[in-house]
Amino acid sequence: MAKFCSKCGNELKEGARFCSVCGNPVKQVQSAQSEATAGTNEERQGVSSQQQGFTAQDMQYQQMAGSAAPVKKNKNLWLLAIPAAILVILLVIFGIKAVLSPAYLKPVKYMEKAFNKQDIDLMKKAVPDEYAAWMTDDIVDYMFDLDSDYKITIKVTDKEKIAKKDLEETLIDDYYVLDSIAEEAKAGYILEAEATLKQDGEKDTQDITLVVVKVDGKWVIVSGL
C-alpha cells in the first residue's frame, strides 16, 4: 500500500523515514499500531492470565466443596422432632415434680390420702411393715372416727435432717422407734407440719411432728401417727 508525505504529498518509498522532497519525517504509523496492538495483546494476555488463575482457584474451591457428600433434605424431619419435644416436656414436668415433692414426703401424702379416703391400705404404705402388722380393726376404727363430710390436709412447714452418725440413737432414744427399724434406717428427717381438718364449715389446725426414715429404699413414717 503506497504511502504519501503528510506535508507535501510526495509519494514515499517503502521504509523511508524522511520525505525525499521536503525532508519531513515520516510517521511510523505501522510501528505505533504494532506497539499498540502488542500492548493490547499483552494486556489481554494479562487479563486472561488473571482470569485463568481465578478460574483455577475457583475450580479448586468447587472441587473441595464438591468432595463432601451431598446433604439430602428430609421433608419429614419435623416428624422426628415431635417425640423428642414430648420427651423434653415430660422430663421438665417430672423434674419439677421431683423438686417440689421430695421422696421423703411420699409417706406423708399416703397418710393424708388414707385419712380422706378412709383407706387402711394407703395407711399401711405410709409406715414400716412392722407397724402395718399392728393395724387391727380397732385401731383403724379409731383412726377413721370421723364423719364422711370432712377433709384433712397436711402441710410440711419445716424439716431437719438427722445426722447419719446420730440417726439410730435419735430414733430409739427420742422417738421410741423399734431397734430393728432404727438399725436399718439409712436417712431420716424430722418434719414439722400443720394438720388441718375441715368439717361442717369449720376448720381446725394443729401442729404435728412426723419422723420419716428411709428403710430398704422406701421412705416411711415411724413417729407422729
Side-chain angles (χ1 to χ4, degrees):
M1 181 176 178
K3 298 181 180 180
F4 300 90
C5 179
S6 60
K7 185 174 182 181
C8 66
N10 179 54
E11 184 176 355
L12 300 174
K13 294 182 180 180
E14 183 71 24
R17 295 187 177 183
F18 299 92
C19 177
S20 60
V21 177
C22 67
N24 186 49
V26 177
K27 294 182 179 180
Q28 301 298 323
V29 177
Q30 182 66 32
S31 299
Q33 290 179 349
S34 299
E35 290 176 0
T37 303
T40 303
N41 290 337
E42 290 177 359
E43 291 177 358
R44 289 178 179 175
Q45 289 178 359
V47 173
S48 176
S49 299
Q50 292 178 358
Q51 290 177 345
Q52 289 178 359
F54 176 77
T55 303
Q57 188 178 21
D58 185 62
M59 289 178 63
Q60 184 178 6
Y61 288 144
Q62 289 180 353
Q63 290 176 356
M64 291 174 63
S67 62
V71 178
K72 296 182 179 179
K73 294 183 179 180
N74 189 348
K75 296 181 180 180
N76 296 326
L77 187 60
W78 64 275
L79 292 175
L80 300 177
I82 293 177
I86 294 175
L87 179 60
V88 171
I89 293 173
L90 291 176
L91 289 175
V92 170
I93 292 174
F94 285 108
I96 293 175
K97 185 177 180 180
V99 172
L100 297 179
S101 301
Y104 60 80
L105 293 181
K106 195 171 184 179
V108 180
K109 294 300 180 182
Y110 277 140
M111 184 174 70
E112 181 183 84
K113 291 181 180 179
F115 278 116
N116 289 320
K117 295 184 177 182
Q118 298 188 6
D119 189 333
I120 188 60
D121 291 329
L122 285 174
M123 183 61 73
K124 289 181 178 180
K125 286 184 177 182
V127 300
D129 293 338
E130 292 88 342
Y131 288 15
W134 296 347
M135 291 184 177
T136 62
D137 292 340
D138 293 339
I139 294 178
V140 171
D141 291 340
Y142 170 76
M143 292 176 65
F144 299 139
D145 186 18
L146 292 168
D147 296 335
S148 59
D149 186 18
Y150 72 90
K151 182 179 181 180
I152 292 177
T153 57
I154 302 174
K155 180 182 179 181
V156 175
T157 57
D158 196 9
K159 70 178 186 299
E160 178 187 350
K161 187 173 183 179
I162 305 174
K164 192 171 183 179
K165 62 182 181 62
D166 301 327
L167 183 58
E168 182 177 346
E169 181 180 355
T170 300
L171 294 176
I172 295 174
D173 295 345
D174 297 345
Y175 297 99
Y176 310 105
V177 177
L178 292 176
D179 291 359
S180 58
I181 297 175
E183 291 171 0
E184 296 296 325
K186 302 300 181 182
Y189 283 93
I190 301 172
L191 306 178
E192 300 297 333
E194 293 178 349
T196 301
L197 170 64
K198 293 181 180 180
Q199 187 178 23
D200 298 330
E202 297 181 358
K203 182 172 69 173
D204 181 32
T205 300
Q206 293 184 0
D207 294 331
I208 61 174
T209 299
L210 300 173
V211 179
V212 295
V213 297
K214 190 175 185 180
V215 180
D216 295 331
K218 182 178 72 171
W219 285 94
V220 290
I221 299 173
V222 293
S223 179
L225 294 175

